Coordinates of all heavy atoms in Angstrom, one line a residue:
M29 N -70.2 -224.1 -114.0 CA -68.9 -223.4 -113.7 C -68.5 -223.8 -112.4 O -69.3 -223.9 -111.4 CB -69.0 -221.9 -113.9 CG -67.7 -221.2 -113.6 SD -67.8 -219.5 -113.7 CE -68.5 -219.2 -115.3
A30 N -67.2 -224.2 -112.2 CA -66.7 -224.6 -110.9 C -66.5 -223.4 -110.0 O -66.3 -222.3 -110.4 CB -65.3 -225.2 -111.1
D31 N -66.8 -223.6 -108.7 CA -66.6 -222.5 -107.7 C -65.1 -222.4 -107.4 O -64.2 -223.1 -107.9 CB -67.4 -222.7 -106.5 CG -67.0 -223.8 -105.6 OD1 -65.8 -224.1 -105.6 OD2 -67.8 -224.3 -104.8
E32 N -64.8 -221.3 -106.7 CA -63.4 -220.9 -106.5 C -62.6 -222.0 -105.8 O -61.4 -222.2 -106.1 CB -63.3 -219.6 -105.7 CG -64.0 -218.4 -106.4 CD -63.7 -218.3 -107.9 OE1 -62.6 -218.5 -108.3 OE2 -64.7 -218.1 -108.6
D33 N -63.2 -222.7 -104.8 CA -62.5 -223.8 -104.1 C -62.2 -224.9 -105.2 O -61.2 -225.6 -105.1 CB -63.3 -224.4 -103.0 CG -63.4 -223.4 -101.8 OD1 -62.5 -222.5 -101.7 OD2 -64.4 -223.5 -101.0
D34 N -63.1 -225.2 -106.0 CA -63.0 -226.2 -107.0 C -61.7 -225.9 -107.9 O -61.0 -226.8 -108.3 CB -64.2 -226.4 -107.9 CG -65.3 -227.0 -107.2 OD1 -65.1 -227.6 -106.1 OD2 -66.5 -226.9 -107.7
I35 N -61.6 -224.6 -108.3 CA -60.5 -224.2 -109.1 C -59.2 -224.5 -108.5 O -58.2 -225.0 -109.1 CB -60.6 -222.7 -109.5 CG1 -61.9 -222.3 -110.1 CG2 -59.3 -222.2 -110.3 CD1 -62.2 -223.1 -111.4
L36 N -59.0 -224.3 -107.2 CA -57.8 -224.6 -106.5 C -57.6 -226.1 -106.5 O -56.5 -226.6 -106.6 CB -57.8 -224.0 -105.1 CG -57.8 -222.5 -105.0 CD1 -57.9 -222.0 -103.5 CD2 -56.6 -221.9 -105.7
S37 N -58.7 -226.9 -106.2 CA -58.6 -228.3 -106.3 C -58.2 -228.8 -107.6 O -57.4 -229.8 -107.7 CB -59.9 -228.9 -105.8 OG -60.2 -228.6 -104.5
I38 N -58.8 -228.3 -108.6 CA -58.4 -228.7 -110.0 C -57.0 -228.4 -110.3 O -56.2 -229.2 -110.8 CB -59.4 -228.0 -111.0 CG1 -60.8 -228.5 -110.9 CG2 -58.8 -228.1 -112.4 CD1 -61.8 -227.6 -111.6
G39 N -56.5 -227.2 -109.9 CA -55.1 -226.9 -110.1 C -54.2 -227.8 -109.3 O -53.2 -228.3 -109.9
A40 N -54.5 -228.2 -108.1 CA -53.7 -229.1 -107.4 C -53.7 -230.5 -108.0 O -52.7 -231.1 -108.1 CB -54.3 -229.3 -105.9
A41 N -54.9 -230.9 -108.5 CA -54.9 -232.2 -109.2 C -54.0 -232.2 -110.5 O -53.3 -233.1 -110.8 CB -56.4 -232.5 -109.6
W42 N -54.1 -231.1 -111.2 CA -53.3 -231.0 -112.4 C -51.8 -231.0 -112.1 O -51.0 -231.6 -112.8 CB -53.6 -229.7 -113.2 CG -54.9 -229.7 -113.9 CD1 -55.9 -230.8 -113.9 CD2 -55.5 -228.7 -114.7 NE1 -56.9 -230.4 -114.7 CE2 -56.7 -229.2 -115.2 CE3 -55.1 -227.4 -115.1 CZ2 -57.6 -228.4 -116.0 CZ3 -55.9 -226.7 -115.9 CH2 -57.1 -227.2 -116.4
R43 N -51.4 -230.3 -111.0 CA -50.0 -230.3 -110.6 C -49.6 -231.7 -110.2 O -48.5 -232.2 -110.5 CB -49.8 -229.3 -109.4 CG -49.7 -227.9 -109.8 CD -48.5 -227.6 -110.8 NE -47.2 -227.9 -110.1 CZ -46.2 -228.5 -110.8 NH1 -46.3 -228.7 -112.1 NH2 -45.1 -228.8 -110.1
A44 N -50.5 -232.4 -109.5 CA -50.2 -233.8 -109.1 C -50.0 -234.7 -110.3 O -49.2 -235.7 -110.2 CB -51.3 -234.3 -108.2
E45 N -50.6 -234.4 -111.4 CA -50.4 -235.1 -112.6 C -49.2 -234.7 -113.4 O -48.8 -235.2 -114.4 CB -51.7 -234.9 -113.6 CG -52.9 -235.4 -113.1 CD -54.2 -235.0 -113.9 OE1 -53.9 -234.3 -114.9 OE2 -55.2 -235.3 -113.5
G46 N -48.4 -233.7 -112.9 CA -47.2 -233.2 -113.5 C -47.4 -232.2 -114.5 O -46.5 -231.8 -115.2
R47 N -48.6 -231.6 -114.5 CA -48.9 -230.5 -115.5 C -48.4 -229.2 -115.0 O -48.5 -228.9 -113.8 CB -50.4 -230.5 -115.8 CG -50.9 -231.7 -116.4 CD -52.4 -231.9 -116.3 NE -53.2 -231.0 -117.2 CZ -54.5 -231.1 -117.3 NH1 -55.2 -232.1 -116.7 NH2 -55.1 -230.3 -118.1
D48 N -47.8 -228.4 -115.9 CA -47.4 -227.0 -115.5 C -48.6 -226.2 -115.6 O -49.4 -226.2 -116.6 CB -46.3 -226.6 -116.5 CG -45.0 -227.4 -116.4 OD1 -44.7 -227.8 -115.3 OD2 -44.4 -227.6 -117.5
I49 N -48.8 -225.3 -114.6 CA -50.0 -224.5 -114.5 C -49.7 -223.1 -114.1 O -48.7 -222.8 -113.5 CB -51.1 -225.1 -113.6 CG1 -50.7 -225.1 -112.2 CG2 -51.5 -226.5 -114.1 CD1 -51.8 -225.5 -111.2
A50 N -50.7 -222.2 -114.4 CA -50.7 -220.9 -113.9 C -52.1 -220.6 -113.3 O -53.1 -221.2 -113.8 CB -50.4 -219.8 -115.0
L51 N -52.1 -219.8 -112.3 CA -53.3 -219.4 -111.6 C -53.5 -217.9 -111.8 O -52.7 -217.1 -111.5 CB -53.3 -219.7 -110.2 CG -54.6 -219.4 -109.4 CD1 -55.8 -220.3 -109.8 CD2 -54.3 -219.7 -107.9
A52 N -54.7 -217.5 -112.4 CA -55.1 -216.1 -112.5 C -56.2 -215.8 -111.6 O -57.1 -216.5 -111.4 CB -55.6 -215.8 -114.0
T53 N -56.0 -214.7 -110.8 CA -57.0 -214.3 -109.8 C -57.3 -212.8 -110.0 O -56.5 -211.9 -110.2 CB -56.3 -214.5 -108.4 OG1 -55.9 -215.8 -108.2 CG2 -57.4 -214.1 -107.3
V54 N -58.7 -212.5 -110.0 CA -59.1 -211.1 -110.1 C -58.8 -210.5 -108.7 O -59.3 -211.0 -107.7 CB -60.6 -211.0 -110.3 CG1 -61.1 -209.6 -110.3 CG2 -61.0 -211.6 -111.7
I55 N -57.9 -209.5 -108.7 CA -57.6 -208.9 -107.4 C -58.3 -207.6 -107.2 O -58.3 -207.1 -106.0 CB -56.0 -208.6 -107.4 CG1 -55.5 -207.8 -108.5 CG2 -55.3 -210.0 -107.3 CD1 -54.1 -207.4 -108.4
D56 N -58.9 -206.9 -108.2 CA -59.6 -205.7 -108.0 C -60.5 -205.4 -109.2 O -60.2 -205.8 -110.3 CB -58.6 -204.6 -107.9 CG -59.2 -203.2 -107.4 OD1 -60.2 -203.3 -106.7 OD2 -58.6 -202.2 -107.7
T57 N -61.6 -204.8 -108.9 CA -62.5 -204.4 -110.0 C -63.0 -203.0 -109.7 O -63.0 -202.5 -108.5 CB -63.7 -205.3 -110.1 OG1 -64.6 -205.2 -109.0 CG2 -63.4 -206.7 -110.3
W58 N -63.4 -202.3 -110.7 CA -64.0 -200.9 -110.6 C -65.0 -200.8 -111.7 O -64.9 -201.2 -112.8 CB -62.9 -199.8 -110.8 CG -63.5 -198.5 -110.6 CD1 -63.7 -197.8 -109.5 CD2 -63.9 -197.7 -111.7 NE1 -64.3 -196.6 -109.8 CE2 -64.4 -196.5 -111.1 CE3 -64.1 -197.8 -113.1 CZ2 -65.0 -195.4 -111.9 CZ3 -64.6 -196.8 -113.8 CH2 -65.1 -195.6 -113.2
G59 N -66.2 -200.3 -111.2 CA -67.2 -200.2 -112.2 C -67.9 -201.5 -112.6 O -67.9 -202.4 -111.8
S60 N -68.4 -201.5 -113.8 CA -69.0 -202.8 -114.2 C -68.0 -203.9 -114.5 O -67.0 -203.6 -115.2 CB -69.7 -202.5 -115.6 OG -70.3 -203.6 -116.1
S61 N -68.2 -205.0 -113.9 CA -67.2 -206.1 -114.0 C -68.0 -207.4 -114.1 O -68.8 -207.6 -113.1 CB -66.2 -206.1 -112.9 OG -65.4 -207.3 -113.0
P62 N -67.8 -208.3 -115.0 CA -68.6 -209.5 -115.1 C -68.2 -210.5 -113.9 O -69.0 -211.3 -113.6 CB -68.2 -210.1 -116.4 CG -66.9 -209.4 -116.8 CD -66.9 -208.1 -116.1
R63 N -67.0 -210.5 -113.4 CA -66.6 -211.4 -112.3 C -66.1 -210.6 -111.1 O -65.3 -209.6 -111.3 CB -65.6 -212.4 -112.8 CG -66.1 -213.2 -114.0 CD -67.0 -214.4 -113.6 NE -66.3 -215.3 -112.8 CZ -66.8 -216.1 -111.9 NH1 -68.1 -216.0 -111.6 NH2 -66.1 -216.9 -111.2
P64 N -66.4 -211.0 -109.9 CA -65.9 -210.2 -108.7 C -64.5 -210.6 -108.3 O -63.9 -211.6 -108.8 CB -66.9 -210.7 -107.6 CG -67.2 -212.1 -108.0 CD -67.3 -212.1 -109.5
A65 N -63.9 -209.7 -107.5 CA -62.5 -210.0 -107.0 C -62.6 -211.4 -106.3 O -63.5 -211.8 -105.6 CB -62.1 -208.9 -106.0
G66 N -61.5 -212.1 -106.5 CA -61.4 -213.4 -105.9 C -61.7 -214.5 -107.0 O -61.4 -215.7 -106.7
S67 N -62.2 -214.1 -108.1 CA -62.6 -215.1 -109.1 C -61.3 -215.7 -109.7 O -60.3 -214.9 -109.9 CB -63.4 -214.5 -110.3 OG -64.6 -214.0 -109.8
R68 N -61.2 -216.9 -110.1 CA -60.0 -217.6 -110.5 C -60.2 -218.3 -111.8 O -61.2 -218.8 -112.1 CB -59.5 -218.5 -109.4 CG -59.0 -217.8 -108.2 CD -58.4 -218.8 -107.2 NE -57.8 -218.1 -106.1 CZ -58.3 -218.2 -104.9 NH1 -59.3 -218.9 -104.6 NH2 -57.7 -217.5 -103.9
L69 N -59.0 -218.5 -112.4 CA -58.9 -219.3 -113.7 C -57.6 -220.0 -113.6 O -56.5 -219.4 -113.3 CB -58.9 -218.3 -114.9 CG -58.6 -218.9 -116.3 CD1 -59.7 -219.8 -116.7 CD2 -58.3 -217.8 -117.2
V70 N -57.6 -221.3 -113.8 CA -56.4 -222.1 -113.9 C -56.2 -222.5 -115.3 O -57.1 -222.9 -116.0 CB -56.4 -223.3 -112.9 CG1 -57.5 -224.3 -113.3 CG2 -55.1 -224.0 -112.8
V71 N -54.9 -222.4 -115.8 CA -54.5 -222.7 -117.2 C -53.3 -223.7 -117.1 O -52.4 -223.5 -116.3 CB -54.1 -221.5 -117.9 CG1 -53.7 -221.7 -119.3 CG2 -55.3 -220.4 -117.9
D72 N -53.3 -224.7 -118.0 CA -52.2 -225.6 -118.1 C -51.4 -225.2 -119.4 O -51.8 -224.4 -120.2 CB -52.5 -227.1 -118.0 CG -53.0 -227.6 -119.3 OD1 -53.1 -226.9 -120.3 OD2 -53.3 -228.8 -119.3
R73 N -50.2 -225.8 -119.5 CA -49.3 -225.5 -120.6 C -49.9 -225.7 -122.0 O -49.6 -225.1 -122.9 CB -48.0 -226.4 -120.5 CG -47.0 -226.1 -121.6 CD -45.8 -227.0 -121.4 NE -45.0 -226.6 -120.2 CZ -44.2 -225.6 -120.1 NH1 -44.0 -224.8 -121.1 NH2 -43.5 -225.3 -119.0
N74 N -50.9 -226.6 -122.1 CA -51.6 -226.9 -123.4 C -52.7 -225.9 -123.6 O -53.4 -226.1 -124.7 CB -52.0 -228.3 -123.4 CG -50.8 -229.2 -123.4 OD1 -49.8 -229.0 -124.0 ND2 -50.9 -230.3 -122.7
G75 N -53.0 -225.0 -122.7 CA -54.1 -224.1 -122.9 C -55.4 -224.6 -122.3 O -56.4 -223.9 -122.4
A76 N -55.4 -225.7 -121.7 CA -56.7 -226.2 -121.0 C -56.9 -225.2 -119.9 O -56.0 -224.8 -119.2 CB -56.5 -227.6 -120.5
M77 N -58.2 -225.0 -119.6 CA -58.5 -224.0 -118.5 C -59.8 -224.4 -117.8 O -60.6 -225.0 -118.4 CB -58.6 -222.6 -119.1 CG -59.6 -222.4 -120.2 SD -59.5 -220.8 -120.9 CE -61.2 -220.3 -120.9
Q78 N -59.9 -224.0 -116.6 CA -61.1 -224.1 -115.8 C -61.3 -222.8 -115.0 O -60.3 -222.2 -114.5 CB -60.9 -225.3 -114.8 CG -61.0 -226.7 -115.5 CD -62.4 -227.0 -115.9 OE1 -63.4 -226.7 -115.2 NE2 -62.6 -227.6 -117.0
G79 N -62.5 -222.4 -114.8 CA -62.8 -221.2 -114.1 C -63.0 -220.0 -115.0 O -63.0 -220.2 -116.2
S80 N -63.0 -218.9 -114.4 CA -63.3 -217.6 -115.2 C -62.8 -216.4 -114.4 O -63.1 -216.3 -113.2 CB -64.8 -217.5 -115.5 OG -65.0 -216.3 -116.2
V81 N -62.3 -215.5 -115.1 CA -61.9 -214.2 -114.5 C -62.8 -213.1 -115.1 O -62.7 -211.9 -114.6 CB -60.4 -213.8 -114.6 CG1 -59.7 -214.8 -113.7 CG2 -59.9 -213.9 -116.0
S82 N -63.5 -213.4 -116.1 CA -64.2 -212.2 -116.8 C -65.6 -212.6 -117.4 O -66.2 -211.8 -118.0 CB -63.4 -211.6 -117.9 OG -63.3 -212.5 -119.0
G83 N -65.9 -213.9 -117.4 CA -67.1 -214.3 -118.1 C -66.9 -214.3 -119.6 O -67.8 -214.3 -120.4
G84 N -65.6 -214.2 -120.0 CA -65.3 -214.4 -121.4 C -64.6 -213.2 -122.1 O -63.8 -213.4 -123.1
C85 N -64.9 -212.0 -121.7 CA -64.4 -210.8 -122.5 C -62.9 -210.6 -122.5 O -62.4 -210.1 -123.4 CB -65.2 -209.6 -122.1 SG -65.0 -209.0 -120.5
I86 N -62.2 -211.0 -121.4 CA -60.8 -210.8 -121.4 C -60.1 -212.2 -121.2 O -58.8 -212.2 -121.1 CB -60.3 -209.9 -120.3 CG1 -60.7 -210.4 -118.9 CG2 -60.8 -208.5 -120.5 CD1 -60.0 -209.6 -117.8
E87 N -60.8 -213.3 -121.2 CA -60.3 -214.6 -120.9 C -59.1 -214.9 -121.9 O -58.0 -215.5 -121.5 CB -61.3 -215.6 -121.0 CG -61.3 -216.6 -119.9 CD -62.2 -216.1 -118.8 OE1 -61.8 -215.2 -117.9 OE2 -63.4 -216.5 -118.7
G88 N -59.2 -214.7 -123.2 CA -58.2 -215.0 -124.2 C -56.9 -214.3 -123.9 O -55.8 -214.9 -123.9
A89 N -57.0 -213.0 -123.5 CA -55.7 -212.3 -123.2 C -55.1 -212.8 -121.9 O -53.8 -213.0 -121.8 CB -56.0 -210.8 -123.0
V90 N -55.9 -213.2 -120.9 CA -55.4 -213.7 -119.7 C -54.7 -215.1 -119.9 O -53.7 -215.4 -119.4 CB -56.5 -213.8 -118.6 CG1 -56.0 -214.5 -117.4 CG2 -57.0 -212.4 -118.2
V91 N -55.4 -215.9 -120.7 CA -54.8 -217.2 -121.0 C -53.5 -217.1 -121.7 O -52.5 -217.8 -121.4 CB -55.8 -218.1 -121.9 CG1 -55.1 -219.3 -122.4 CG2 -57.0 -218.6 -121.0
Q92 N -53.4 -216.2 -122.6 CA -52.1 -216.0 -123.3 C -51.0 -215.5 -122.4 O -49.9 -216.0 -122.4 CB -52.3 -214.9 -124.4 CG -51.0 -214.7 -125.2 CD -50.6 -215.9 -126.0 OE1 -51.4 -216.7 -126.5 NE2 -49.3 -216.2 -125.9
E93 N -51.3 -214.6 -121.4 CA -50.4 -214.2 -120.4 C -50.0 -215.4 -119.5 O -48.9 -215.6 -119.0 CB -50.9 -213.1 -119.6 CG -51.0 -211.8 -120.4 CD -49.7 -211.1 -120.6 OE1 -48.7 -211.4 -119.9 OE2 -49.6 -210.3 -121.6
A94 N -51.0 -216.2 -119.1 CA -50.8 -217.4 -118.2 C -49.8 -218.3 -118.9 O -48.9 -218.9 -118.3 CB -52.1 -218.1 -118.0
L95 N -49.9 -218.5 -120.2 CA -48.9 -219.4 -120.9 C -47.5 -218.8 -120.9 O -46.6 -219.6 -120.7 CB -49.4 -219.6 -122.4 CG -50.7 -220.4 -122.5 CD1 -51.2 -220.4 -124.0 CD2 -50.6 -221.8 -122.0
E96 N -47.4 -217.5 -121.0 CA -46.1 -216.9 -120.9 C -45.5 -217.0 -119.5 O -44.4 -217.2 -119.2 CB -46.2 -215.5 -121.3 CG -46.5 -215.3 -122.8 CD -46.6 -213.9 -123.3 OE1 -46.1 -213.0 -122.6 OE2 -47.2 -213.7 -124.4
V97 N -46.4 -216.9 -118.4 CA -46.0 -217.0 -117.0 C -45.5 -218.5 -116.8 O -44.5 -218.7 -116.1 CB -47.2 -216.7 -116.1 CG1 -46.9 -217.1 -114.7 CG2 -47.4 -215.1 -116.2
I98 N -46.2 -219.4 -117.3 CA -45.8 -220.8 -117.1 C -44.4 -221.0 -117.7 O -43.5 -221.7 -117.2 CB -46.8 -221.8 -117.8 CG1 -48.1 -221.9 -117.1 CG2 -46.2 -223.2 -118.0 CD1 -49.2 -222.5 -117.8
E99 N -44.2 -220.3 -118.9 CA -42.9 -220.5 -119.6 C -41.8 -219.8 -118.8 O -40.7 -220.3 -118.6 CB -43.0 -219.9 -121.0 CG -41.8 -220.3 -121.9 CD -41.8 -221.8 -122.1 OE1 -42.8 -222.5 -122.2 OE2 -40.6 -222.3 -122.2
D100 N -42.0 -218.5 -118.4 CA -40.8 -217.8 -117.8 C -40.9 -217.7 -116.3 O -39.9 -217.2 -115.7 CB -40.7 -216.3 -118.4 CG -41.9 -215.4 -118.1 OD1 -42.6 -215.6 -117.2 OD2 -42.1 -214.5 -118.9
G101 N -42.0 -218.0 -115.6 CA -42.1 -218.1 -114.2 C -42.2 -216.7 -113.6 O -42.3 -216.6 -112.4
K102 N -42.3 -215.6 -114.4 CA -42.5 -214.3 -113.8 C -44.0 -213.9 -113.7 O -44.7 -213.9 -114.7 CB -41.8 -213.3 -114.8 CG -40.3 -213.6 -114.9 CD -39.7 -212.6 -115.9 CE -38.2 -212.9 -116.1 NZ -37.6 -212.1 -117.1
P103 N -44.4 -213.7 -112.5 CA -45.8 -213.3 -112.3 C -46.1 -211.9 -112.9 O -45.2 -211.1 -113.1 CB -46.0 -213.2 -110.8 CG -44.6 -213.1 -110.2 CD -43.6 -213.7 -111.2
R104 N -47.3 -211.7 -113.3 CA -47.8 -210.5 -113.9 C -49.0 -210.0 -113.3 O -49.9 -210.7 -112.9 CB -48.0 -210.8 -115.4 CG -46.8 -211.0 -116.2 CD -47.2 -211.7 -117.5 NE -46.1 -211.9 -118.4 CZ -45.1 -212.8 -118.3 NH1 -45.1 -213.6 -117.3 NH2 -44.2 -212.9 -119.2
Q105 N -49.1 -208.7 -113.2 CA -50.4 -208.0 -112.9 C -50.9 -207.3 -114.1 O -50.2 -206.5 -114.7 CB -50.2 -207.0 -111.7 CG -51.5 -206.4 -111.3 CD -51.3 -205.5 -110.1 OE1 -50.8 -205.9 -109.1 NE2 -51.6 -204.2 -110.2
L106 N -52.1 -207.8 -114.5 CA -52.7 -207.3 -115.7 C -53.9 -206.3 -115.4 O -54.5 -206.5 -114.3 CB -53.3 -208.4 -116.6 CG -52.4 -209.6 -116.7 CD1 -53.1 -210.7 -117.4 CD2 -51.1 -209.2 -117.5
E107 N -54.1 -205.3 -116.2 CA -55.2 -204.4 -116.0 C -55.9 -204.2 -117.3 O -55.3 -203.9 -118.3 CB -54.7 -203.1 -115.4 CG -55.9 -202.1 -115.1 CD -55.5 -200.9 -114.4 OE1 -54.6 -201.0 -113.5 OE2 -56.1 -199.8 -114.7
F108 N -57.3 -204.4 -117.3 CA -58.1 -204.2 -118.4 C -59.1 -203.2 -118.1 O -59.8 -203.2 -117.1 CB -58.8 -205.5 -118.9 CG -57.8 -206.6 -119.2 CD1 -57.4 -207.5 -118.1 CD2 -57.2 -206.7 -120.4 CE1 -56.5 -208.5 -118.4 CE2 -56.3 -207.8 -120.6 CZ -56.0 -208.6 -119.6
G109 N -59.3 -202.2 -119.0 CA -60.4 -201.2 -118.7 C -60.6 -200.3 -119.9 O -59.9 -200.4 -120.9
V110 N -61.6 -199.5 -119.8 CA -62.0 -198.6 -120.9 C -60.8 -197.7 -121.3 O -60.7 -197.4 -122.5 CB -63.3 -197.9 -120.5 CG1 -63.6 -196.8 -121.6 CG2 -64.4 -198.8 -120.4
S111 N -60.1 -197.2 -120.3 CA -59.1 -196.2 -120.6 C -57.8 -196.9 -121.1 O -56.9 -196.3 -121.6 CB -58.7 -195.4 -119.3 OG -58.2 -196.3 -118.3
N112 N -57.8 -198.2 -121.1 CA -56.6 -199.0 -121.6 C -56.9 -199.4 -123.0 O -57.9 -200.0 -123.3 CB -56.5 -200.2 -120.7 CG -55.3 -201.0 -120.9 OD1 -54.7 -201.0 -122.0 ND2 -54.9 -201.7 -119.9
E113 N -55.9 -199.1 -123.9 CA -56.1 -199.5 -125.3 C -56.4 -201.0 -125.5 O -57.1 -201.4 -126.4 CB -54.9 -199.1 -126.1 CG -54.6 -197.6 -126.3 CD -53.4 -197.3 -127.1 OE1 -52.8 -198.2 -127.7 OE2 -53.0 -196.2 -127.0
Q114 N -55.9 -201.7 -124.6 CA -56.1 -203.2 -124.6 C -57.6 -203.5 -124.5 O -58.0 -204.6 -124.9 CB -55.3 -203.9 -123.5 CG -54.9 -205.3 -123.7 CD -54.0 -205.7 -122.7 OE1 -53.8 -205.2 -121.6 NE2 -53.3 -206.8 -123.0
A115 N -58.3 -202.7 -123.8 CA -59.8 -203.0 -123.6 C -60.5 -203.3 -124.9 O -61.3 -204.2 -125.0 CB -60.4 -201.8 -122.9
W116 N -60.2 -202.5 -126.0 CA -60.9 -202.7 -127.2 C -60.4 -204.0 -127.9 O -61.2 -204.8 -128.5 CB -60.6 -201.6 -128.2 CG -61.2 -200.3 -127.6 CD1 -60.5 -199.3 -127.1 CD2 -62.6 -200.0 -127.5 NE1 -61.4 -198.3 -126.7 CE2 -62.7 -198.8 -126.8 CE3 -63.8 -200.7 -127.7 CZ2 -64.0 -198.2 -126.6 CZ3 -65.0 -200.2 -127.4 CH2 -65.1 -198.9 -126.9
D117 N -59.1 -204.4 -127.7 CA -58.6 -205.6 -128.2 C -59.3 -206.8 -127.6 O -59.5 -207.9 -128.2 CB -57.1 -205.8 -128.0 CG -56.4 -204.7 -128.8 OD1 -56.9 -204.2 -129.8 OD2 -55.2 -204.4 -128.5
V118 N -59.6 -206.7 -126.3 CA -60.2 -207.8 -125.5 C -61.7 -207.8 -125.4 O -62.3 -208.6 -124.8 CB -59.5 -208.0 -124.2 CG1 -58.0 -208.3 -124.3 CG2 -59.8 -206.8 -123.3
G119 N -62.3 -206.7 -125.9 CA -63.7 -206.6 -125.9 C -64.3 -206.1 -124.5 O -65.5 -206.3 -124.3
L120 N -63.5 -205.5 -123.7 CA -64.0 -205.0 -122.4 C -64.5 -203.5 -122.6 O -63.7 -202.6 -122.3 CB -63.0 -205.1 -121.3 CG -63.4 -204.7 -119.9 CD1 -64.5 -205.7 -119.4 CD2 -62.3 -204.7 -118.9
A121 N -65.6 -203.3 -123.2 CA -66.1 -202.0 -123.4 C -67.3 -201.6 -122.5 O -68.1 -200.8 -122.7 CB -66.5 -201.8 -124.9
C122 N -67.4 -202.4 -121.4 CA -68.6 -202.3 -120.5 C -68.4 -201.2 -119.5 O -69.2 -201.1 -118.6 CB -68.9 -203.7 -119.9 SG -67.5 -204.5 -119.1
G123 N -67.3 -200.5 -119.5 CA -67.1 -199.4 -118.6 C -66.5 -199.7 -117.3 O -66.4 -198.9 -116.4
G124 N -65.9 -200.8 -117.1 CA -65.2 -201.2 -115.9 C -63.8 -201.4 -116.0 O -63.2 -201.3 -117.1
T125 N -63.1 -201.7 -114.9 CA -61.7 -202.0 -114.9 C -61.5 -203.3 -114.1 O -62.2 -203.4 -113.0 CB -60.9 -200.9 -114.2 OG1 -61.0 -199.7 -115.0 CG2 -59.4 -201.2 -114.2
V126 N -60.7 -204.1 -114.6 CA -60.4 -205.4 -113.9 C -58.9 -205.6 -113.8 O -58.2 -205.4 -114.8 CB -61.0 -206.6 -114.7 CG1 -60.7 -207.9 -114.1 CG2 -62.5 -206.5 -114.9
R127 N -58.4 -205.8 -112.6 CA -57.0 -206.2 -112.4 C -56.9 -207.6 -112.1 O -57.6 -208.1 -111.2 CB -56.4 -205.3 -111.4 CG -56.2 -203.8 -111.8 CD -55.4 -203.0 -110.9 NE -55.7 -203.1 -109.5 CZ -54.9 -203.2 -108.5 NH1 -53.5 -203.1 -108.8 NH2 -55.2 -203.2 -107.3
V128 N -56.0 -208.3 -112.7 CA -55.8 -209.8 -112.6 C -54.3 -210.1 -112.3 O -53.5 -209.6 -113.0 CB -56.2 -210.5 -113.9 CG1 -56.1 -212.0 -113.8 CG2 -57.7 -210.2 -114.2
F129 N -54.1 -210.9 -111.3 CA -52.8 -211.3 -111.0 C -52.6 -212.7 -111.5 O -53.4 -213.6 -111.3 CB -52.5 -211.3 -109.5 CG -51.1 -211.6 -109.1 CD1 -50.1 -210.7 -109.3 CD2 -50.8 -212.9 -108.5 CE1 -48.8 -211.0 -109.0 CE2 -49.4 -213.2 -108.2 CZ -48.5 -212.3 -108.4
V130 N -51.5 -212.9 -112.3 CA -51.3 -214.3 -112.9 C -49.9 -214.8 -112.4 O -48.9 -214.1 -112.4 CB -51.2 -214.2 -114.4 CG1 -51.0 -215.6 -115.0 CG2 -52.5 -213.5 -115.0
E131 N -49.9 -216.0 -111.8 CA -48.7 -216.6 -111.2 C -48.6 -218.1 -111.6 O -49.6 -218.8 -111.8 CB -48.7 -216.5 -109.7 CG -49.9 -217.2 -109.1 CD -50.1 -216.9 -107.6 OE1 -49.1 -216.8 -106.9 OE2 -51.3 -216.7 -107.2
R132 N -47.3 -218.5 -111.8 CA -47.1 -220.0 -112.0 C -47.2 -220.6 -110.7 O -46.8 -220.1 -109.6 CB -45.7 -220.2 -112.6 CG -45.4 -221.6 -112.9 CD -44.2 -221.8 -113.8 NE -43.0 -221.5 -113.1 CZ -41.8 -221.4 -113.6 NH1 -41.7 -221.7 -114.9 NH2 -40.7 -221.2 -112.9
V133 N -47.8 -221.8 -110.7 CA -47.9 -222.6 -109.4 C -46.9 -223.7 -109.5 O -46.9 -224.5 -110.5 CB -49.4 -223.2 -109.3 CG1 -49.5 -224.0 -108.0 CG2 -50.4 -222.0 -109.2
E134 N -46.0 -223.8 -108.5 CA -45.0 -224.9 -108.5 C -45.5 -226.1 -107.7 O -46.3 -226.0 -106.9 CB -43.7 -224.3 -107.8 CG -43.2 -223.1 -108.5 CD -42.6 -223.3 -109.9 OE1 -42.1 -224.4 -110.1 OE2 -42.6 -222.4 -110.7

């Protein structure tokens, strides 16, 4: 797995190739969380991705939001947790909360 600096370098390289991308960053965690704050995931318009914000349990939902952010340019703050109905949909039943910021990179 690429480290956080690599994710930014990969994103910069993808932008240099003309690819539209979004960057997702874990901004806060509470309780059990598979990835710490500062963890990143870069996604391109075709769904290619590098990095991780959850070790897999919410990655699919974050990638879907990243694709929408690439399309409309509106950043989003996402929250996944046990108290959130979305938690069951994404498989985050480990007792924690994860907040992720997703932004398009120009």
Side-chain angles (χ1 to χ4, degrees):
M29 181 180 306
D31 70 27
E32 302 315 316
D33 290 337
D34 289 342
I35 299 307
L36 296 177
S37 296
I38 291 167
W42 286 2
R43 282 298 301 141
E45 294 171 2
R47 294 160 75 171
D48 296 323
I49 65 168
L51 182 66
T53 304
V54 175
I55 57 173
D56 191 27
T57 66
W58 180 85
S60 177
S61 173
R63 301 281 294 150
S67 298
R68 292 187 173 110
L69 171 71
V70 63
V71 179
D72 80 359
R73 180 177 295 279
N74 295 321
M77 58 186 226
Q78 287 286 320
S80 176
V81 291
S82 73
C85 61
I86 62 170
E87 229 90 279
V90 172
V91 168
Q92 185 59 44
E93 291 288 337
L95 294 172
E96 292 177 20
V97 167
I98 289 169
E99 194 63 36
D100 67 21
K102 297 177 183 173
R104 291 161 175 73
Q105 182 173 304
L106 313 173
E107 183 171 323
F108 302 93
V110 173
S111 61
N112 187 335
E113 290 180 13
Q114 202 171 22
W116 296 110
D117 293 339
V118 299
L120 186 65
C122 49
T125 300
V126 177
R127 289 191 310 141
V128 179
F129 185 74
V130 184
E131 59 190 321
R132 183 167 70 186
V133 178
E134 301 292 332

